[in-house]
Amino acid sequence: MLKSTWKLIAVSMIASVAMVALAACGSDDSSSSSSAAAAPAAPKAASAASGSTSAPAAPAAPQSAAAPKAAAAAASAAAAPAVASSGGASDSAITITAVLDNVGAAQFRMSKGIWPDVMFHGYFGFLEPMLSWNETYDEDGNPLRGVGGALADTCAKPHLVMSWEWDLPAKGGGTVTQPGLGLDLSAVDLSDPDNQGVMRWTVREGVDFYKSQNGEIIRVGEMTAKDVAWSANDAGSDNTDTANSNSSQAYEYYKRWEAVSDYVGETPARAFTADGLQDFSSECQDAVFVVSKDIQDQYGDSFGIYHGTGPFVVTDWKPSERIEAESRVDHWKNSPAFDKMVYLQANEAQQRSAMLQTGLADIGQSSIQDVGKLESEGFVFNAGMDAIIGNFMYFAGNFWSYTDPVEGGNIIRDGFLPTDKYPWIGDPRVACEGIDRSDPAIQDTPGAGCTAAGFDYKDTEQFSYETTSMEKARNFRKALALSIDRQLIADSVTGGWGSPIYGAGQGAGFPYHQLHPEYDDKYSLEFNPDLALEHFALSGVPEGFEFEFFCSQGNGTSLEVCEAVTGQWRENLGINPVIDSSQYSSRRPTMLGRQIHVPWMTKWGPTSKQGRLSSGGGTLGGGLWPLPSGGYNAGIEDNRNWQGREDTRVQEKGSAENLATRAAQFDFQFHQQLGVGTVEVPLLYGVNPDTIAEWGLRPIEVVNSFDTIVPK
């Protein structure tokens, strides 16, 4: 049993959450005596017809797997008056409760939802992606690395999509058919932008959609190619109004997806990439999760309909508060070994730790500063997940694309404010040299009082990365990067769990992390306060300068890290950053709308072992340097980066040409310092070993794999 060392103050911290949590977590010691998990009940009145009108069965009040005796008793005493019994509880029913920092809202459609809400449907087990991840350890347990090595297909394990292949235009005419991975482009001709080939994909047979209706779990019908096609189109193919973070890949790489039979579909490429399907539809990425077209046809834009192919079916979702979901016993891959899953939201990390201690949760996304204490009390943390979140900064507002690289036309973004008020934003327009950037009349005017537009970075008479404005902004960004003592933050703020990220860069595939196979020591940003002051002086920014710094809560970012970083800026540079810690979802529209212009910190990871670390020689990421016409945007645009991606996508991975192109782009990005790493922190989820015997987590950046839990 766990040591009962928690204090009464913990109960008062969680009183507001306990009123909803206790209904899901049992306080009866009897369930702890069971040595094996009870078999979950079969879905109620499973019907082949989505419109079944069967009378709902009386809902049961399932018990949680047993919590520590003292904790459960105290929690019950503290919150009992607020809990109403639902009656009819089955002694054999088992509920697992997890408390997290965000549970979002029921928003199943990619184009109508808000990130990260749409992602929770997949990570929590309601919807599923097209592809999942391959293990990337060798037989000795070491992470696999290397240019062109095993990580090339990390995110390409068949899931809802079983396989894919390409019909590509051949040199001399005709087509060449090749598999989805390991392509040989030597016989391929991609010179015609209107003929970039066709991707053909096959979906898994026998996968069913279920939904909750009037208290019943009802079969909607089998997932087919039409559902995959509709989901992909909704997530960004010809659709830029989307919540999916990788929609820019969906939009930029692919035209309309079409089902050609029940289980086969085809997708013409807008811009061929060998990474194909895995680039935006894998569990390793911010995946496109597959929803039911029949549900869409029935309900239209009422997109909050609880349904999916996953191992759990949502029965109730109170936005930003709680989710209740029933387990399926007939899932095609992994049916949970318990009856019900409850997900609770608690905004404060210490609150989540207290809920774990008091038995109100079986799993808790704990404060990293509480981990040592919780481990001493007997709680177990998810060392096997190995999800490492890099706290990574973007200097938004540097919109340097003045011409759409595909469609043409002038572009001036609302977030482009290169004035003294926003000294991290540089202006590369030669014709705009000499503007009084301190003039209050232009401080919040897009373009900052200069109308020059309609050219790109290749027009060196009108565009230069070395204008006075660009150099002053670069020096300010460099000063901020060099004035961060990353090791000190890792040692003190993260309790020794974190580690520094010494590199800087922007976009997927950049070797910003020292474990990346293409990392070079020249990309290091080790703490150097004297050099930071030199760059600060060159920036022309006055001492005491005040500016907004957005720390994106609800997106995995550590507020403690943000506070430490801004504190060091105050100490080492004499400036005054002010943290905005509002929810990420509230600020995301400014990113989609190309209006964000303030520095901000967000997660980027995992950065080690499994998951998102790119193999060398791949395609430069397009998701964070997208076409100006749509998709997610970090507040940065530059046609040079667009061109870098266009060059690398048709080059042989790992070839000398490919590596040289990437290296040149890496050098450029490091020089500009538009993205800066700080420290990485593991995502640590505390588990009560009295209630959970085993939990096989997958190595992605959101707590997941609840279907693998084995209760005691």
Side-chain angles (χ1 to χ4, degrees):
M1 292 297 289
L2 303 177
K3 301 175 185 177
S4 300
T5 58
W6 56 273
K7 308 298 183 183
L8 289 177
I9 191 172
V11 177
S12 64
M13 290 175 61
I14 61 174
S16 61
V17 180
M19 292 189 295
V20 296
L22 201 61
C25 272
S27 59
D28 189 344
D29 293 335
S30 63
S31 60
S32 66
S33 63
S34 175
S35 60
K44 308 183 192 79
S47 171
S50 62
S52 172
T53 57
S54 303
Q63 289 180 286
S64 171
K69 293 180 180 179
S76 179
V83 178
S85 175
S86 58
S90 169
D91 290 339
S92 63
I94 297 176
T95 294
I96 298 296
T97 300
V99 59
L100 310 169
D101 65 343
N102 192 3
V103 299
Q107 305 201 17
F108 282 71
R109 284 193 62 189
M110 292 288 185
S111 67
K112 299 295 182 180
I114 297 174
W115 199 103
D117 294 1
V118 293
M119 308 314 323
F120 295 152
H121 298 80
Y123 293 139
F124 292 170
F126 315 143
L127 298 173
E128 294 180 287
M130 301 180 199
L131 302 176
S132 64
W133 58 276
N134 286 301
E135 294 79 0
T136 56
Y137 286 111
D138 64 22
E139 58 186 17
D140 297 321
N142 300 310
L144 297 169
R145 296 276 183 262
V147 174
L151 290 182
D153 61 351
T154 297
C155 302
K157 186 175 183 177
H159 199 75
L160 294 185
V161 167
M162 292 295 295
S163 62
W164 75 99
E165 62 181 9
W166 288 93
D167 287 341
L168 299 171
K171 294 178 179 178
T175 61
V176 176
T177 300
Q178 298 201 20
L181 294 170
L183 278 70
D184 177 8
L185 298 180
S186 61
V188 175
D189 180 8
L190 296 168
S191 60
D192 184 356
D194 295 323
N195 185 10
Q196 294 288 293
V198 174
M199 179 175 62
R200 184 165 47 255
W201 38 272
T202 303
V203 304
R204 183 180 298 276
E205 299 183 31
V207 176
D208 292 324
F209 285 107
Y210 279 86
K211 72 175 182 178
S212 173
Q213 180 174 301
N214 298 325
E216 306 295 323
I217 306 299
I218 297 174
R219 181 178 177 271
V220 175
E222 187 184 15
M223 180 206 69
T224 65
K226 75 175 188 305
D227 302 302
V228 174
W230 190 88
S231 301
N233 291 332
D234 195 52
S237 184
D238 287 337
N239 179 8
T240 60
D241 179 24
T242 179
N244 183 258
S245 293
N246 284 341
S247 63
S248 51
Q249 282 96 327
Y251 176 77
E252 294 166 16
Y253 293 161
Y254 309 116
K255 298 181 181 179
R256 299 286 298 176
W257 296 53
E258 300 289 345
V260 298
S261 69
D262 285 349
Y263 304 111
V264 178
E266 292 184 348
T267 307
R270 191 186 309 276
F272 167 79
T273 175
D275 299 322
L277 192 64
Q278 68 172 327
D279 200 56
F280 85 115
S281 65
S282 173
E283 208 168 37
C284 298
Q285 305 287 344
D286 292 331
V288 173
F289 295 104
V290 178
V291 299
S292 168
K293 187 176 184 302
D294 289 341
I295 291 286
Q296 163 62 17
D297 292 343
Q298 182 177 356
Y299 295 99
D301 285 345
S302 299
F303 53 88
I305 306 301
Y306 307 147
H307 80 285
T309 64
F312 301 104
V313 181
V314 175
T315 57
D316 186 45
W317 197 321
K318 292 181 173 58
S320 301
E321 182 179 322
R322 66 184 287 124
I323 309 170
E324 296 185 11
E326 292 195 22
S327 303
R328 285 180 52 186
V329 298
D330 63 343
H331 189 255
W332 66 269
K333 186 174 186 290
N334 190 43
S335 297
F338 53 94
D339 302 272
K340 184 176 181 178
M341 191 76 212
V342 175
Y343 313 79
L344 301 175
Q345 177 171 321
N347 295 330
E348 298 294 330
Q350 289 78 15
Q351 188 181 26
R352 298 192 294 271
S353 296
M355 291 179 68
L356 187 64
Q357 288 176 296
T358 57
L360 293 177
D362 303 296
I363 297 168
Q365 186 179 351
S366 307
S367 166
I368 195 166
Q369 297 175 340
D370 294 337
V371 170
K373 180 177 183 296
L374 291 169
E375 284 191 317
S376 72
E377 296 173 8
F379 291 93
V380 177
F381 284 81
N382 56 296
M385 184 179 181
D386 199 44
I388 312 291
I389 297 301
N391 290 272
F392 204 72
M393 293 187 297
Y394 296 120
F395 291 102
N398 284 287
F399 295 107
W400 300 338
S401 293
Y402 306 119
T403 304
D404 187 306
V406 174
E407 305 295 334
N410 295 345
I411 302 169
I412 290 290
R413 300 298 191 194
D414 289 344
F416 182 56
L417 306 170
T419 68
D420 289 2
K421 187 176 178 180
Y422 309 103
W424 54 86
I425 301 177
D427 191 345
R429 297 170 297 175
V430 174
C432 301
E433 286 274 69
I435 291 178
D436 181 4
R437 299 188 182 274
S438 65
D439 184 354
I442 66 169
Q443 293 288 289
D444 297 302
T445 302
C450 181
T451 59
F455 53 89
D456 63 26
Y457 75 100
K458 295 180 181 179
D459 188 347
T460 55
E461 292 186 359
Q462 300 189 74
F463 185 106
S464 173
Y465 290 106
E466 299 177 356
T467 63
T468 301
S469 172
M470 290 287 283
E471 276 299 288
K472 291 175 71 173
R474 185 184 70 83
N475 277 293
F476 183 66
R477 298 191 299 266
K478 187 83 169 183
L480 294 179
L482 291 170
S483 60
I484 303 170
D485 190 340
R486 293 160 175 80
Q487 190 63 61
L488 178 62
I489 296 174
D491 292 340
S492 57
V493 177
T494 74
W497 286 92
S499 58
I501 303 174
Y502 285 116
Q506 167 68 28
F510 185 88
Y512 67 87
H513 193 281
Q514 50 269 26
L515 292 181
H516 193 286
E518 294 170 274
Y519 179 78
D520 190 289
D521 286 341
K522 66 182 180 181
Y523 301 136
S524 178
L525 284 171
E526 293 197 41
F527 178 52
N528 192 330
D530 293 334
L531 184 58
L533 284 171
E534 292 180 19
H535 285 284
F536 183 71
L538 292 172
S539 75
V541 175
E543 187 175 349
F545 173 72
E546 184 174 303
F547 64 99
E548 178 187 339
F549 181 65
F550 172 43
C551 186
S552 66
Q553 297 304 289
N555 195 34
T557 305
S558 168
L559 181 59
E560 293 91 342
V561 172
C562 291
E563 291 172 340
V565 167
T566 55
Q568 292 188 352
W569 287 342
R570 293 188 189 96
E571 179 179 351
N572 298 321
L573 298 176
I575 55 180
N576 186 28
V578 178
I579 291 178
D580 171 13
S581 59
S582 58
Q583 282 288 320
Y584 175 82
S585 58
S586 68
R587 296 294 298 265
R588 183 175 169 82
T590 66
M591 300 167 195
L592 294 174
R594 278 55 173 173
Q595 296 172 326
I596 187 169
H597 56 268
V598 301
W600 64 293
M601 187 176 290
T602 186
K603 67 179 181 182
W604 189 265
T607 53
S608 69
K609 293 194 175 178
Q610 300 189 28
R612 296 272 290 274
L613 186 63
S614 298
S615 62
T619 303
L620 287 171
L624 300 179
W625 299 98
L627 275 172
S629 52
Y632 170 78
N633 190 283
I636 302 168
E637 286 180 346
D638 180 23
N639 282 359
R640 168 167 174 161
N641 288 279
W642 166 260
Q643 189 62 54
R645 199 206 67 180
E646 288 297 281
D647 291 341
T648 58
R649 74 179 176 83
V650 296
Q651 294 171 347
E652 181 183 352
K653 285 188 176 184
S655 66
E657 178 189 33
N658 182 230
L659 295 176
T661 302
R662 291 169 63 86
Q665 194 72 358
F666 300 159
D667 290 346
F668 168 77
Q669 292 183 2
F670 180 78
H671 180 71
Q672 294 297 335
Q673 302 275 291
L674 293 174
V676 176
T678 58
V679 299
E680 60 184 10
V681 182
L683 285 182
L684 295 169
Y685 296 91
V687 174
N688 185 344
D690 286 348
T691 64
I692 294 177
E694 181 180 326
W695 185 17
L697 282 155
R698 302 180 186 110
I700 56 178
E701 73 265 32
V702 179
V703 64
N704 63 86
S705 319
F706 294 103
D707 54 292
T708 67
I709 291 173
V710 179
K712 281 190 175 179

